[in-house]
Amino acid sequence: KVMNRGNITSRPKITIYGENNIALYVNSVKLFDIALSNNGYITIDGLQMDAYKGDTLMNRSVSGDYSKLILNMGSNVISWTGTVTKIEIEDVSRWI
């Protein structure tokens, strides 16, 4: 679970470590299919609507709709299928 402590939706930056094919879900909605090399990682930036590894764009390794990568206010459930070893989510709580 991930908390958006703000009072408006936010667009997170998620870094996924793992290998092979991974499907990423937020609140039970499938958002992305990701193709990773062995023991690789990829960062998906919901605000910039890009995927990258370091300074290299990796948009061709990700299929899905970046506009749906939103964290609702309060608790959000991040889940996946495939081989994931770690997920890092940047705290992007927002307020208006």
Side-chain angles (χ1 to χ4, degrees), residues 1-69:
K1 291 185 180 183
V2 175
M3 289 295 295
N4 174 0
R5 293 177 292 280
N7 63 1
I8 189 171
T9 60
S10 66
R11 297 191 172 276
K13 184 184 293 185
I14 301 174
T15 301
I16 302 164
Y17 297 81
E19 58 188 41
N20 301 323
N21 297 317
I22 296 169
L24 182 69
Y25 299 78
V26 175
N27 297 322
S28 300
V29 175
K30 182 178 179 182
L31 299 184
F32 299 107
D33 286 309
I34 304 162
L36 286 179
S37 59
N38 291 341
N39 298 314
Y41 75 91
I42 195 164
T43 300
I44 299 173
D45 188 329
L47 190 58
Q48 297 297 321
M49 295 190 175
D50 270 327
Y52 49 88
K53 180 177 182 178
D55 292 331
T56 304
L57 282 176
M58 301 292 290
N59 291 327
R60 290 185 182 198
S61 296
V62 177
S63 63
D65 187 350
Y66 289 89
S67 68
K68 293 182 180 180
L69 180 53

